[in-house]
């Protein structure tokens, strides 16, 4: 979907590097108090006063992490920002700035980069963050996009992966598995399209799943909700690779075990329907699918009443002694050992 709606194709060589950077970045405004200097100098200058600075970075490669045949560039820009902001949220911090670095081949006209940057701009507005810099260069093949997110938090607010205690409850935000099934739907439609390009897909039944895949949101709201409830998670991580592997991370780093209950997993009705259609087990999808960008965290048992009944949260299990291992307790009350079978980008390359 590199073709722009208005069919115009302005070669990026025409603008030159500086013209291009200027053209793409002039739309960004500074709104954060901590941003002293943004784009335009050799480096940005930030001031977090007495707060801690949180930094996370991500690298996205065309053909490995995204496929432009069904991922519109505007969505890619939005998603790239959202997934980085999600990492800051997973530290219980507030995202404040990003830098954006791109490498593009001459296959991309200016209009394509405008689309990409419009997605980045919309996400930045949505999350209230400043774009403060980046780098722009050429690549021999394809698009490479790297975003670094910066955030702030008081030292005592930061939540790490290693703080879960043996009797803590395991909580997940929103619902899980939908982004993975959204990808399955898109992959299927792509194959149908390749066979018959005149076949316009009817995707109405799948809108929620596809949106979860193409336009995931970072849970920037969770920090505030938890603060109001006066809950500080003991450990936290965001769900990028899949529930199973994120649980393993929390357990390994906190030296605890875990029981997760199949009947508690929060699944959207659309996900359940589509799993039936695809003949895939919805629990497997919920456990191993990825890219939901929900938050997974543990709380002390005594905080349960504060969170009970809140529609944002589902208690899906509890931590145990490390020696008890990490298990899924099925509806039939059997225990299955969990393995990290998430989306391992490296294993796909083998
Ligand atoms: P330098 O030569 O020092 O790397 P550049 O000419 O590459 O500087 O960049 C000029 C300014 O534009 C810098 O402030 C840089 O951070 C910013 N910039 C460059 N590319 C991007 C981009 N893709 N997104 C946002 N800001 C960018
Ligand atoms: Mg540069």
């Amino acid at each position: 979907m590199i073709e722009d709606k208005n069919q115009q194709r302005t070669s990026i060589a025409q603008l030159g590097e500086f013209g291009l950077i200027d053209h793409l970045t002039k739309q960004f405004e500074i709104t954060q108090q901590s941003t002293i200097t943004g784009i335009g100098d050799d480096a940005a200058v930030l001031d977090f006063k007495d707060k801690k600075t949180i930094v996370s970075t991500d690298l996205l490669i065309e053909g490995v992490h995204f496929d432009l045949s069904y991922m519109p560039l505007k969505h890619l820009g939005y998603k790239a920002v959202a997934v980085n902001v999600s990492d800051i949220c997973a530290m219980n911090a507030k995202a404040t700035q990003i830098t954006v670095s791109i490498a593009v081949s001459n296959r991309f006209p200016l209009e394509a980069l405008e689309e990409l940057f419009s997605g980045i701009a919309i996400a930045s507005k949505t999350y209230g963050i400043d774009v403060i810099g980046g780098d722009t260069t050429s690549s021999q093949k394809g698009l490479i996009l790297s975003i670094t997110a910066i955030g702030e938090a008081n030292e005592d607010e930061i939540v790490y992966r290693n703080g879960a205690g043996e009797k803590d409850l395991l909580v997940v935000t929103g619902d899980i598995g939908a982004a993975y099934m959204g990808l399955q739907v898109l992959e299927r439609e792509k194959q149908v399209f390749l066979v018959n390009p005149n076949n316009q897909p009817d995707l109405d039944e799948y809108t929620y799943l596809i949106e979860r895949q193409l336009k995931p949101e970072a849970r920037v709201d969770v920090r505030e909700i938890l603060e109001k409830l006066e809950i500080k998670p003991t450990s936290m991580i965001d769900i990028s690779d899949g529930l199973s592997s994120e649980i393993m991370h929390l357990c390994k780093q906190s030296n605890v075990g875990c029981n997760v209950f199949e009947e508690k997993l929060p699944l959207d009705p659309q996900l359940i329907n589509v799993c039936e259609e695809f003949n895939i087990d919805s629990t497997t999808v919920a456990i191993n699918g990825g890219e939901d960008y929900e938050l997974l965290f543990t709380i002390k048992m005594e905080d349960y009443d504060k969170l009970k009944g809140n529609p944002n949260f589902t208690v899906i299990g509890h931590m145990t002694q490390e020696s008890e291992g990490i298990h899924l307790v099925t509806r039939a009350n059997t225990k299955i050992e969990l393995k990290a079978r998430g989306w391992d980008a490296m294993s796909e390359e083998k």
Side-chain angles (χ1 to χ4, degrees):
M1 297 195 189
I2 291 159
E3 282 74 25
D4 195 66
K5 281 163 221 94
N6 61 23
Q7 301 290 310
Q8 240 189 307
R9 289 180 64 91
T10 312
S11 139
I12 34 185
Q14 243 169 280
L15 279 116
E17 186 192 333
F18 300 128
L20 176 65
I21 294 172
D22 190 48
H23 183 83
L24 294 175
T25 62
K26 62 175 184 247
Q27 61 186 314
F28 298 127
E29 281 167 31
I30 297 301
T31 60
Q32 288 289 332
Q33 264 189 1
S34 51
T35 309
I36 309 297
T37 301
I39 291 169
D41 216 309
D42 294 309
V45 181
L46 307 177
D47 180 2
F48 288 104
K49 303 252 161 41
D50 52 355
K51 297 205 172 182
K52 296 290 174 228
T53 311
I54 320 291
V55 181
S56 178
T57 197
D58 243 331
L59 180 61
L60 298 171
I61 313 255
E62 184 179 353
V64 179
H65 303 103
F66 58 89
D67 181 339
L68 289 177
S69 58
Y70 48 68
M71 180 62 129
L73 279 158
K74 196 173 184 170
H75 284 75
L76 176 65
Y78 192 98
K79 183 170 177 173
V81 176
V83 307
N84 275 279
V85 168
S86 176
D87 278 320
I88 304 293
C89 295
M91 301 301 291
N92 202 34
K94 182 184 180 314
T96 46
Q97 290 90 8
I98 55 167
T99 64
V100 179
S101 295
I102 54 169
V104 273
S105 73
N106 55 15
R107 170 181 134 229
F108 293 85
L110 175 67
E111 288 74 14
L113 296 182
E114 284 173 349
E115 281 289 297
L116 178 71
F117 271 70
S118 77
I120 292 170
I122 293 168
S124 304
K125 269 227 166 84
T126 304
Y127 298 124
I129 52 181
D130 296 344
V131 182
I132 54 154
D135 203 16
T136 306
T137 182
S138 58
S139 82
Q140 289 202 329
K141 201 167 153 277
L143 174 65
I144 299 168
L145 176 60
S146 179
I147 292 191
T148 297
I150 299 159
E152 59 177 37
N154 293 318
E155 186 168 13
D156 61 355
E157 293 171 327
I158 302 173
V159 177
Y160 298 90
R161 292 179 178 183
N162 66 4
E166 277 176 12
K167 295 206 165 101
D168 288 356
L169 300 174
L170 183 67
V171 185
V172 67
T173 63
D175 58 79
I176 51 174
Y180 176 81
M181 282 316 288
L183 183 63
Q184 301 313 304
V185 170
L186 289 167
E187 293 268 10
R188 183 179 69 180
E189 296 314 320
K190 182 184 173 186
Q191 294 312 318
V192 171
F193 180 80
L194 290 176
V195 174
N196 181 3
N198 292 321
N199 201 336
Q200 284 297 317
D202 177 8
L203 297 174
D204 280 358
E205 285 173 65
Y206 312 109
T207 46
Y208 178 66
L209 306 182
I210 291 172
E211 188 169 303
R212 293 285 282 174
Q213 171 60 222
L214 293 185
K215 194 171 170 288
E217 297 288 358
R219 293 302 307 255
V220 287
D221 54 332
V222 168
R223 173 184 152 89
E224 279 169 32
I225 297 169
L226 289 173
E227 200 182 326
K228 280 205 187 100
L229 296 173
E230 294 180 5
I231 296 173
K232 186 191 171 192
T234 51
S235 69
M236 185 150 64
I237 191 167
D238 72 329
I239 304 182
S240 51
D241 295 337
L243 183 68
S244 179
S245 67
E246 314 306 358
I247 290 174
M248 312 272 295
H249 284 305
L250 291 185
C251 287
K252 287 246 160 73
Q253 296 206 23
S254 300
N255 300 313
V256 293
C258 181
N259 284 325
V260 192
F261 296 90
E262 181 181 22
E263 62 177 2
K264 304 282 188 202
L265 297 174
L267 309 181
D268 187 85
Q270 204 172 80
L271 174 81
I272 294 169
N273 287 339
V274 172
C275 282
E276 272 174 26
E277 186 190 328
F278 277 68
N279 209 6
I280 301 180
D281 176 42
S282 58
T283 300
T284 308
V285 168
I287 293 263
N288 295 317
E291 299 203 290
D292 290 311
Y293 299 102
E294 295 293 340
L295 295 173
L296 178 73
F297 58 93
T298 53
I299 59 167
K300 293 214 166 71
M301 220 154 40
E302 54 260 37
D303 283 336
Y304 174 65
D305 282 340
K306 300 181 193 165
L307 168 149
K308 195 173 60 184
N310 189 307
N312 292 290
F313 306 119
T314 311
V315 177
I316 58 168
H318 60 83
M319 309 325 255
T320 62
Q321 279 188 0
E322 188 173 24
S323 58
E324 289 186 38
I326 305 168
H327 292 97
L328 176 75
V329 182
T330 67
R331 286 195 187 84
N333 208 25
T334 51
K335 276 184 153 188
I336 300 173
E337 194 184 343
L338 278 188
K339 301 232 163 68
R341 218 180 304 138
W343 283 1
D344 187 345
M346 293 303 175
S347 72
E348 282 170 20
E349 285 167 15
K350 279 177 203 155

